[in-house]
Amino acid sequence: MPSTIRQIPLASATHHHTHDFHQIVITLCGSSEFEIEGLGGRVNAFSGCIVPANHEHYYSGYGHNRQLIFDLPEDAPALTGENRELVALFDAPRFFGLDNALQHYLAFMQSELAQGFDTSTNSFQQDRLAATLLGSLKARLGSAANTAQQRLDLTRINRFIRQHLAEDLRVADLARLACLSEAHFSDCFRAQTGLSPWQYVKRQRLHAARQLILQSRLPLTDIAIQTGFANQSALSHAFRRSYGLSPRKLRQGDVPPAAISPSNAALGSLAAQQELY
């Protein structure tokens, strides 16, 4: 699915939501307020924030404001293939400012977007623009390679995830368990496993849901709630994206369960997944 870049003002009333794609918000003029999983701050002109997928965030605008918003699905060209290392930017929420070079690139982006590309190629151009910005941000904000790493107790983390699977698990909860900051924990987790904490929690939810579908007669709505999905629709969407079929078809036996394996693009490499078991 391609990335999209849009410009909108934010209303002064505070709203909140979550979504299953990553997002970067940059304030072009005026200011805004963002709180992402408890991390909050004022975002002034030429500043922005990183909103990882499935992180609840509150937001509002102040007076006349305009925001440049990047919607970045995990399978977007800007985050896959030769750009796959850029997804590490979304291991944890962050706030950032744009230096002079990035402000000039922002002006170039706005000029490009104003050209009104042909719709058949527009999505690819937006991914190219997004990937350049993401690469520049990653170079400025640093990466796991620049952070002192330590080994995490994965057995303890796995046990905690299983015990709280039906709850609204946050990266902050896992970081607290390891006595680390959220950003440091996310860097260590990815360096040790090859997956972000959110990717692994999602994999655990899907694995638990699959077992319940195959081994119980519980309604799919109940299975969704017990494994931490908002509703049956959210479970079905995640199942199709990762396994290539719906929970109902799996239960009906349309496809042999042994033949089903999660999508590497959605859940990370198989080698990393085996390490986490």
Side-chain angles (χ1 to χ4, degrees), residues 78 105 121 123-133:
Y105 180 66
T121 59
S123 60
F124 296 103
Q125 177 66 359
Q126 292 193 5
D127 268 291
R128 294 186 190 100
L129 293 171
T132 300
L133 176 71

Side-chain angles (χ1 to χ4, degrees), residues 74 193-196 198-204 206-207 238 241-243 261-270 272-273 276:
E74 281 204 339
T193 68
L195 300 172
S196 72
W198 175 79
Q199 284 175 317
Y200 181 57
V201 170
K202 178 183 176 183
R203 185 174 71 86
Q204 291 284 60
L206 284 167
H207 178 74
R241 188 182 182 103
S242 296
Y243 291 112
S261 60
S263 164
N264 287 352
L267 300 177
S269 70
L270 290 174
Q273 292 175 19
L276 287 166

Side-chain angles (χ1 to χ4, degrees), residues 213 218-225 231-232 235-236 247-248 251:
I213 291 167
L218 285 172
L220 294 179
T221 299
D222 292 349
I223 291 175
I225 293 172
N231 48 48
Q232 181 180 337
L235 171 63
S236 296
R248 194 175 304 279
R251 173 166 278 177

Side-chain angles (χ1 to χ4, degrees), residues 3 7 38 42 45 59 61 81 83 99 101 103-104 114 127 131 144 155 177-178 185 195 199 207 214 228 231 248 264:
S3 303
Q7 296 185 45
R42 177 70 68 91
Y59 55 94
N83 299 316
D99 57 26
Q103 289 182 34
H104 285 301
D127 268 291
T155 300
L177 188 68
F185 173 81
L195 300 172
Q199 284 175 317
H207 178 74
L214 292 172
N231 48 48
R248 194 175 304 279
N264 287 352

Side-chain angles (χ1 to χ4, degrees), residues 135-256:
S136 299
L137 281 177
K138 187 172 184 293
R140 286 160 172 76
L141 297 177
S143 64
N146 300 323
T147 305
Q149 302 297 336
Q150 66 185 74
R151 298 295 295 179
L152 301 173
D153 186 347
L154 292 178
T155 300
R156 187 182 183 201
I157 291 170
N158 290 342
R159 186 185 307 116
F160 180 87
I161 291 173
R162 287 193 296 268
Q163 291 173 347
H164 298 84
L165 205 59
E167 301 172 21
D168 184 20
L169 274 172
R170 301 185 304 171
V171 175
D173 300 321
L174 303 179
R176 195 177 302 114
L177 188 68
C179 299
L180 296 174
S181 71
E182 187 172 344
H184 191 184
F185 173 81
S186 295
D187 285 345
C188 290
F189 195 94
R190 179 178 287 280
Q192 187 170 334
T193 68
L195 300 172
S196 72
W198 175 79
Q199 284 175 317
Y200 181 57
V201 170
K202 178 183 176 183
R203 185 174 71 86
Q204 291 284 60
R205 293 192 196 284
L206 284 167
H207 178 74
R210 180 174 177 269
Q211 294 302 107
L212 286 172
I213 291 167
L214 292 172
Q215 300 174 7
S216 77
R217 300 184 64 84
L218 285 172
L220 294 179
T221 299
D222 292 349
I223 291 175
I225 293 172
Q226 289 188 26
T227 53
F229 291 93
N231 48 48
Q232 181 180 337
S233 176
L235 171 63
S236 296
H237 176 77
F239 232 77
R240 289 192 188 93
R241 188 182 182 103
S242 296
Y243 291 112
L245 80 169
S246 69
R248 194 175 304 279
K249 286 193 173 183
L250 174 61
R251 173 166 278 177
Q252 290 170 349
D254 290 1
V255 178

